[in-house]
Amino acid sequence: MWGLVRLLLAWLGGWGCMGRLAAPARAWAGSRGHPGPALLRTRRSWVWNQFFVIEEYAGPEPVLIGKLHSDVDRGEGRTKYLLTGEGAGTVFVIDEATGNIHVTKSLDREEKAQYVLLAQAVDRASNRPLEPPSEFIIKVQDINDNPPIFPLGPYHATVPEMSNVGTSVIQVTAHDADDPSYGNSAKLVYTVLDGLPFFSVDPQTGVVRTAIPNMDRETQEEFLVVIQAKDMGGHMGGLSGSTTVTVTLSDVNDNPPKFPQSLYQFSVVETAGPGTLVGRLRAQDPDLGDNALMAYSILDGEGSEAFSISTDSQGRDGLLTVRKPLDFESRRSYAFRVEATNTLIDPAYLRRGPFKDVASVRVVVQDAPEPPAFTQAAYHLTVPENKAPGTLVGQISAADLDSPASPIRYSILPHSDPERCFSIQPEEGTIHTAAPLDREARVWHNLTVLATELDSSAQASRVQVTIQTLDENDNAPQLAEPYDTFVCDSAAPGQLIQVIQALDRDEVGNSSHVSFQGPLGPDANFTVRDNRDGSASLLLPSRPAPPRQAPYLVPIELWDWGQPALSSTATVTVSVCRCQPDGSVASCWPEAHLSAAGLSTGALLAIITCVGALLALVVLFVALRRQKQEALMVLEEEDVRENIITYDDEGGGEEDTEAFDITALQNPDGRPPRRPALPRRDVLPGLGCHASPDPPAPPTWAQLLVLRLSG
């Protein structure tokens, strides 16, 4: 039936065209006297309109789709119709005599919607064109033979959980290859096949929207929605296509944190230092990412003093750590509360809060073996200098916290007291001096005292003990330097000759004030004035000192104000010289000249003594070398090892010390060997305390031989 309908439509289309094409012929006939209305003859003998052919028709014979006819064709068989252009001769054929056009095969509009061809009428005998060629179009008429398709499917979309009804999720678009301008073949309608009642779709636009409120990601995170597109406006008989939309609910912070248990219990040993991990706490939050980040805090004061809590690098767990040292003997448990709070809170979901939770925590402190604990973190003791050995300095005390009655043994680490200036009583912890101390040599002594449990030598602790040596007035004041000066013979009475500085090695405040006193009496050649600041001024008296060849030696007495007061006497050398008007030295006695140049009489004597001593040493060295050479020559000539003594007594071996006298080998000349004088050692310089001298060691055979050769 459908084939007959197609054939009928083709015939109707062809005759309709032929009727329109025949109009010019009737006009031409009316102009030559035939009955009918008189029409003007047009220059073109035919008028072309569009031809139509239904797509996908596959009949047993070629289908007539139209007829061409020219007014010059009088039916005499002299006119031949020609067809050229797209599909001419293959898709479309023409009857040369009648002008009937047939389609020879099934056409697909989606492949080619129309064909453009040229028609021409020529003389059959001469092929001379009777009319100029004319262009016409054959259009392929659409039928609904293409279902809708979704070129971008399947789709994936995301929408926040808890979204309101009607929230847009995604838009899907289907495409229909049929002609949208002809009928309803390309008119599409969208519907939801699967996904109700959670989602809906707009029938015309394809926009997918949420259909119910408060969809919870924690209940269902992903939905698979099937969308159908149907042509023919969705009516029965239309073709359809479908696609899937995977909708994922994104997370929002709509769930507060919640501890899975109300009480957490941990234990930690008392020796755990600050920063030691005690345990982990995790409040559960079903949200994801930043919405599940939490901060932890300790609510009670007693817990925050001993412990601290922080969030791990993932932002989920609370790390409970030791904040300060724990002591089992003073406190054995702690109880406090911990709060977990979301760090990011969305104001749109405050109604679902509060976004925090609280749990109780109990930490038990476990006992552990501990070293002795000193009563102080460090000790500072003092002792006066010059006290006799055995003087009490102070006492160090430590106790075993686990067993207070356990005995403790004390000792001083050797490296902290290399001079052995102090000793400690092992049981009592009292520190005494082992040698007299000298503050001027060393003020501070830093000792390290070790306390060890007698029951367990592995349990030991150390403490720093600082001992300060207190000053006593044990150093008499002295001049800061040797003073050797001069004065002009023309100097006026009362003129300042030299400012003299004093030096006291004792601590400032003990004997820092030094007083001066010079020669007294009317015959004194110089005057000493105490400046009361640790210095004195050497002045000329009202009567100038007479010039003389030898310099003046001015005695000055110095004393401090310590308890007891100490004093000393020093001498200042003053030479009287002749001076220029500007005060420079013009001439002086030899001693005074040398003194002015920087060499005093004492210095010259010291130089001469040193030179003499050096000459004496050189002479002595030469004499000793000569004596050694002579002694060696004698030993070479009279080597006792070359003297062979024959006797018949049987010896006793190495243990027989009475067989012969070894002194004959040691001293061939018969003189007793001299013992060298060993150096006496009674003071360790720079150590701050005095040590007892060591007993002299006996001379060795090498020393005796050297003495023999040098003697």
Side-chain angles (χ1 to χ4, degrees):
M1 179 62 71
W2 177 243
L4 294 177
V5 172
R6 283 185 168 182
L7 182 59
L8 179 61
L9 291 176
W11 274 98
L12 291 176
W15 283 108
C17 288
M18 187 177 69
R20 288 191 293 272
L21 295 175
R26 292 194 297 271
W28 176 262
S31 64
R32 297 179 62 179
H34 292 282
L39 299 176
L40 295 178
R41 183 177 183 271
T42 62
R43 296 191 57 170
R44 294 187 59 185
S45 299
W46 47 27
V47 177
W48 304 105
N49 280 332
Q50 293 180 346
F51 287 83
F52 294 90
V53 59
I54 298 176
E55 67 171 331
E56 295 186 1
Y57 173 73
E61 297 179 357
V63 179
L64 177 64
I65 62 173
K67 181 180 179 63
L68 301 180
H69 184 75
S70 176
D71 55 356
V72 298
D73 184 7
R74 302 182 185 278
E76 300 173 351
R78 298 175 58 184
T79 304
K80 182 175 66 173
Y81 294 96
L82 301 179
L83 186 64
T84 60
E86 297 177 339
T90 57
V91 179
F92 304 101
V93 294
I94 189 170
D95 189 334
E96 295 180 353
T98 63
N100 292 333
I101 301 175
H102 295 79
V103 59
T104 63
K105 65 178 183 179
S106 176
L107 302 180
D108 188 0
R109 190 199 68 84
E110 286 71 36
E111 293 182 1
K112 192 170 180 63
Q114 65 182 17
Y115 296 84
V116 180
L117 298 98
L118 290 175
Q120 191 175 20
V122 299
D123 184 77
R124 182 177 296 276
S126 62
N127 285 332
R128 180 178 59 85
L130 300 179
E131 294 287 347
S134 181
E135 182 181 276
F136 69 97
I137 298 174
I138 298 178
K139 297 191 67 175
V140 181
Q141 188 173 355
D142 183 51
I143 64 173
N144 189 19
D145 60 342
N146 291 280
I149 61 173
F150 292 87
L152 301 179
Y155 296 87
H156 295 270
T158 302
V159 64
E161 63 174 333
M162 299 295 167
S163 297
N164 296 326
V165 176
T167 302
S168 176
V169 179
I170 194 174
Q171 183 178 15
V172 298
T173 302
H175 175 68
D176 195 323
D178 293 326
D179 188 2
S181 63
Y182 181 77
N184 293 328
S185 299
K187 185 178 181 181
L188 305 180
V189 173
Y190 299 93
T191 57
V192 177
L193 296 183
D194 191 8
L196 296 174
F198 304 103
F199 298 93
S200 64
V201 64
D202 189 288
Q204 281 73 39
T205 62
V207 176
V208 180
R209 303 178 185 275
T210 57
I212 62 174
N214 300 328
M215 285 190 293
D216 190 6
R217 184 199 65 83
E218 289 74 29
T219 303
Q220 183 175 351
E221 183 177 4
E222 190 173 271
F223 296 84
L224 184 63
V225 183
V226 180
I227 304 296
Q228 181 191 66
K230 189 175 183 180
D231 59 14
M232 300 298 292
H235 296 295
M236 184 179 297
L239 303 179
S240 64
S242 63
T243 186
T244 59
V245 180
T246 302
V247 181
T248 302
L249 298 181
S250 61
D251 185 62
V252 299
N253 191 11
D254 59 336
N255 293 281
K258 182 70 175 178
F259 283 105
Q261 57 193 73
S262 59
L263 176 63
Y264 291 84
Q265 294 191 11
F266 303 101
S267 61
V268 60
V269 296
E270 61 176 336
T271 55
T276 302
L277 179 64
V278 178
R280 287 175 175 263
L281 296 86
R282 169 175 285 194
Q284 296 179 352
D285 191 334
D287 295 324
L288 300 177
D290 294 343
N291 296 323
L293 297 180
M294 282 173 283
Y296 295 86
S297 60
I298 297 176
L299 299 181
D300 302 305
E302 65 175 15
S304 60
E305 293 177 358
F307 302 94
S308 61
I309 191 169
S310 60
T311 309
D312 66 349
S313 58
Q314 304 298 325
R316 303 299 298 270
D317 292 354
L319 306 179
L320 185 64
T321 56
V322 177
R323 184 174 185 179
K324 69 176 185 178
L326 305 175
D327 186 10
F328 172 82
E329 286 71 26
S330 61
R331 185 163 188 174
R332 301 189 177 187
S333 66
Y334 294 84
F336 49 89
R337 294 182 302 159
V338 172
E339 181 182 71
T341 307
N342 279 135
T343 57
L344 299 177
I345 299 177
D346 192 341
Y349 304 100
L350 287 177
R351 66 183 186 279
R352 303 181 67 89
F355 289 86
K356 60 183 178 180
D357 194 21
V358 177
S360 299
V361 177
R362 184 173 184 269
V363 180
V364 177
V365 181
Q366 296 179 345
D367 190 20
E370 296 178 274
F374 289 94
T375 57
Q376 300 180 23
Y379 291 85
H380 177 264
L381 306 177
T382 59
V383 60
E385 64 176 333
N386 300 324
K387 292 297 182 180
T391 301
L392 177 63
V393 179
Q395 185 176 13
I396 307 301
S397 179
D400 184 2
L401 300 180
D402 298 326
S403 179
S406 177
I408 304 297
R409 183 178 181 84
Y410 303 91
S411 61
I412 298 176
L413 295 184
H415 72 273
S416 65
D417 186 23
E419 301 91 349
R420 304 295 189 271
C421 297
F422 301 92
S423 63
I424 189 169
Q425 209 282 332
E427 290 78 16
E428 301 296 333
T430 54
I431 299 178
H432 299 79
T433 60
L437 305 178
D438 185 6
R439 190 205 66 85
E440 286 70 34
R442 185 173 179 180
V443 179
W444 297 95
H445 297 266
N446 298 314
L447 307 182
T448 301
V449 175
L450 182 69
T452 308
E453 296 181 9
L454 290 181
D455 299 337
S456 177
S457 59
Q459 299 298 330
S461 58
R462 303 181 181 185
V463 70
Q464 293 296 321
V465 179
T466 302
I467 300 178
Q468 180 182 4
T469 306
L470 302 179
D471 185 51
E472 290 188 348
N473 193 25
D474 58 344
N475 292 278
Q478 301 174 354
L479 293 181
E481 59 179 286
Y483 290 95
D484 193 348
T485 183
F486 73 95
V487 63
C488 296
D489 56 358
S490 59
Q495 179 177 337
L496 175 64
I497 301 174
Q498 180 73 43
V499 176
I500 303 169
Q501 298 288 340
L503 175 65
D504 194 335
R505 296 177 58 197
D506 290 322
E507 187 176 9
V508 176
N510 187 15
S511 55
S512 59
H513 180 62
V514 179
S515 298
F516 298 82
Q517 183 174 339
L520 301 176
D523 297 334
N525 296 321
F526 299 94
T527 302
V528 176
R529 183 182 65 195
D530 190 354
N531 296 329
R532 300 185 181 280
D533 59 355
S535 67
S537 299
L538 183 62
L539 307 172
L540 278 177
S542 59
R543 177 179 59 82
R548 66 176 184 178
Q549 183 175 359
Y552 289 94
L553 301 179
V554 181
I556 298 178
E557 184 180 2
L558 303 91
W559 70 91
D560 56 29
W561 293 84
Q563 297 295 332
L566 300 179
S567 63
S568 65
T569 302
T571 302
V572 177
T573 303
V574 181
S575 300
V576 180
C577 303
R578 189 177 302 277
C579 301
Q580 299 287 349
D582 59 355
S584 61
V585 177
S587 62
C588 211
W589 299 107
E591 294 81 355
H593 183 70
L594 291 176
S595 175
L599 292 177
S600 63
T601 302
L604 288 176
L605 293 176
I607 292 174
I608 293 173
T609 303
C610 291
V611 171
L614 289 175
L615 291 176
L617 289 175
V618 170
V619 172
L620 180 60
F621 179 74
V622 172
L624 290 175
R625 288 292 299 271
R626 185 174 299 174
Q627 186 176 1
K628 287 181 181 180
Q629 293 178 358
E630 293 177 357
L632 290 174
M633 292 176 61
V634 172
L635 289 175
E636 291 177 357
E637 296 176 357
E638 301 178 0
D639 193 350
V640 295
R641 292 177 297 177
E642 296 180 359
N643 298 332
I644 301 176
I645 302 175
T646 303
Y647 56 95
D648 296 333
D649 295 338
E650 183 177 352
E654 294 180 354
E655 297 180 356
D656 187 2
T657 58
E658 304 296 334
F660 62 93
D661 188 4
I662 197 171
T663 57
L665 294 176
Q666 298 175 352
N667 189 10
D669 297 338
R671 291 179 297 178
R674 293 176 298 176
R675 297 187 63 177
L678 298 179
R680 179 176 178 267
R681 185 178 62 181
D682 55 355
V683 178
L684 299 178
L687 298 183
C689 61
H690 302 275
S692 302
D694 295 333
T700 62
W701 289 107
Q703 292 174 333
L704 293 176
L705 181 58
V706 171
L707 292 175
R708 178 67 185 89
L709 294 177
S710 61

mmCIF file of all heavy atoms in Angstrom, residues 14 24 38 60 81 114 192 352 428 430 608 663 674 707:
data_model
loop_
_atom_site.group_PDB
_atom_site.id
_atom_site.type_symbol
_atom_site.label_atom_id
_atom_site.label_comp_id
_atom_site.label_asym_id
_atom_site.label_seq_id
_atom_site.Cartn_x
_atom_site.Cartn_y
_atom_site.Cartn_z
ATOM 1 N N GLY A 14 4.359 14.926 -11.048
ATOM 2 C CA GLY A 14 4.799 15.084 -12.438
ATOM 3 C C GLY A 14 3.753 15.779 -13.302
ATOM 4 O O GLY A 14 4.053 16.674 -14.090
ATOM 5 N N PRO A 24 2.812 27.801 -21.340
ATOM 6 C CA PRO A 24 3.337 28.611 -22.445
ATOM 7 C C PRO A 24 2.879 28.111 -23.801
ATOM 8 O O PRO A 24 2.696 28.887 -24.730
ATOM 9 C CB PRO A 24 4.838 28.459 -22.255
ATOM 10 C CG PRO A 24 5.012 28.131 -20.812
ATOM 11 C CD PRO A 24 3.831 27.297 -20.479
ATOM 12 N N ALA A 38 -6.486 35.472 -25.606
ATOM 13 C CA ALA A 38 -5.302 35.949 -26.338
ATOM 14 C C ALA A 38 -4.219 36.328 -25.329
ATOM 15 O O ALA A 38 -4.397 37.223 -24.510
ATOM 16 C CB ALA A 38 -5.668 37.141 -27.206
ATOM 17 N N PRO A 60 9.735 -1.740 -8.026
ATOM 18 C CA PRO A 60 10.278 -2.701 -9.003
ATOM 19 C C PRO A 60 10.709 -2.040 -10.305
ATOM 20 O O PRO A 60 11.558 -2.568 -11.011
ATOM 21 C CB PRO A 60 9.110 -3.661 -9.213
ATOM 22 C CG PRO A 60 7.890 -2.876 -8.873
ATOM 23 C CD PRO A 60 8.288 -1.909 -7.790
ATOM 24 N N TYR A 81 14.361 15.430 -26.289
ATOM 25 C CA TYR A 81 14.648 16.069 -24.998
ATOM 26 C C TYR A 81 15.948 15.490 -24.420
ATOM 27 O O TYR A 81 16.129 14.260 -24.387
ATOM 28 C CB TYR A 81 13.500 15.848 -24.026
ATOM 29 C CG TYR A 81 12.223 16.535 -24.448
ATOM 30 C CD1 TYR A 81 11.239 15.826 -25.160
ATOM 31 C CD2 TYR A 81 12.010 17.872 -24.138
ATOM 32 C CE1 TYR A 81 10.079 16.440 -25.551
ATOM 33 C CE2 TYR A 81 10.835 18.500 -24.534
ATOM 34 C CZ TYR A 81 9.894 17.785 -25.227
ATOM 35 O OH TYR A 81 8.755 18.412 -25.624
ATOM 36 N N GLN A 114 18.852 17.653 -2.691
ATOM 37 C CA GLN A 114 18.328 18.102 -3.977
ATOM 38 C C GLN A 114 19.378 17.904 -5.053
ATOM 39 O O GLN A 114 20.574 17.800 -4.751
ATOM 40 C CB GLN A 114 17.884 19.570 -3.909
ATOM 41 C CG GLN A 114 19.037 20.538 -3.661
ATOM 42 C CD GLN A 114 18.547 21.979 -3.562
ATOM 43 O OE1 GLN A 114 17.364 22.226 -3.368
ATOM 44 N NE2 GLN A 114 19.462 22.930 -3.738
ATOM 45 N N VAL A 192 12.093 11.781 31.060
ATOM 46 C CA VAL A 192 12.948 11.010 31.960
ATOM 47 C C VAL A 192 12.437 9.579 31.981
ATOM 48 O O VAL A 192 11.278 9.332 32.357
ATOM 49 C CB VAL A 192 12.963 11.606 33.381
ATOM 50 C CG1 VAL A 192 13.804 10.734 34.312
ATOM 51 C CG2 VAL A 192 13.498 13.017 33.359
ATOM 52 N N ARG A 352 21.804 22.967 60.922
ATOM 53 C CA ARG A 352 22.126 21.567 61.145
ATOM 54 C C ARG A 352 23.205 21.395 62.209
ATOM 55 O O ARG A 352 23.675 20.283 62.426
ATOM 56 C CB ARG A 352 22.576 20.926 59.833
ATOM 57 C CG ARG A 352 21.544 21.046 58.721
ATOM 58 C CD ARG A 352 22.046 20.373 57.446
ATOM 59 N NE ARG A 352 22.158 18.940 57.627
ATOM 60 C CZ ARG A 352 21.199 18.063 57.414
ATOM 61 N NH1 ARG A 352 20.001 18.496 57.022
ATOM 62 N NH2 ARG A 352 21.380 16.769 57.579
ATOM 63 N N GLU A 428 77.422 12.029 102.499
ATOM 64 C CA GLU A 428 76.720 13.225 102.953
ATOM 65 C C GLU A 428 76.560 14.268 101.858
ATOM 66 O O GLU A 428 75.656 15.100 101.918
ATOM 67 C CB GLU A 428 77.451 13.846 104.150
ATOM 68 C CG GLU A 428 77.588 12.913 105.347
ATOM 69 C CD GLU A 428 76.238 12.550 105.936
ATOM 70 O OE1 GLU A 428 75.296 13.362 105.784
ATOM 71 O OE2 GLU A 428 76.116 11.468 106.542
ATOM 72 N N THR A 430 78.782 16.660 101.271
ATOM 73 C CA THR A 430 79.427 17.908 101.664
ATOM 74 C C THR A 430 80.704 18.094 100.847
ATOM 75 O O THR A 430 81.477 17.159 100.632
ATOM 76 C CB THR A 430 79.766 17.892 103.158
ATOM 77 O OG1 THR A 430 80.548 16.722 103.452
ATOM 78 C CG2 THR A 430 78.486 17.867 103.984
ATOM 79 N N ILE A 608 124.742 44.334 82.695
ATOM 80 C CA ILE A 608 126.129 43.892 82.887
ATOM 81 C C ILE A 608 126.153 42.519 83.540
ATOM 82 O O ILE A 608 126.942 41.640 83.182
ATOM 83 C CB ILE A 608 126.887 44.942 83.742
ATOM 84 C CG1 ILE A 608 127.019 46.256 82.950
ATOM 85 C CG2 ILE A 608 128.262 44.419 84.148
ATOM 86 C CD1 ILE A 608 127.603 47.402 83.757
ATOM 87 N N THR A 663 130.005 -2.153 90.791
ATOM 88 C CA THR A 663 130.457 -0.757 90.859
ATOM 89 C C THR A 663 131.754 -0.567 90.124
ATOM 90 O O THR A 663 132.097 0.556 89.727
ATOM 91 C CB THR A 663 130.623 -0.343 92.331
ATOM 92 O OG1 THR A 663 131.541 -1.239 92.969
ATOM 93 C CG2 THR A 663 129.295 -0.426 93.057
ATOM 94 N N ARG A 674 127.567 10.883 91.627
ATOM 95 C CA ARG A 674 126.826 12.023 92.179
ATOM 96 C C ARG A 674 125.358 11.950 91.762
ATOM 97 O O ARG A 674 125.057 11.655 90.623
ATOM 98 C CB ARG A 674 127.429 13.332 91.672
ATOM 99 C CG ARG A 674 128.831 13.599 92.196
ATOM 100 C CD ARG A 674 129.399 14.857 91.584
ATOM 101 N NE ARG A 674 129.514 14.713 90.125
ATOM 102 C CZ ARG A 674 129.911 15.691 89.335
ATOM 103 N NH1 ARG A 674 130.213 16.871 89.836
ATOM 104 N NH2 ARG A 674 129.998 15.494 88.032
ATOM 105 N N LEU A 707 126.321 11.690 84.256
ATOM 106 C CA LEU A 707 127.057 12.402 85.302
ATOM 107 C C LEU A 707 128.506 11.955 85.333
ATOM 108 O O LEU A 707 129.423 12.764 85.580
ATOM 109 C CB LEU A 707 126.384 12.164 86.660
ATOM 110 C CG LEU A 707 124.989 12.817 86.833
ATOM 111 C CD1 LEU A 707 124.383 12.411 88.171
ATOM 112 C CD2 LEU A 707 125.114 14.318 86.746
#
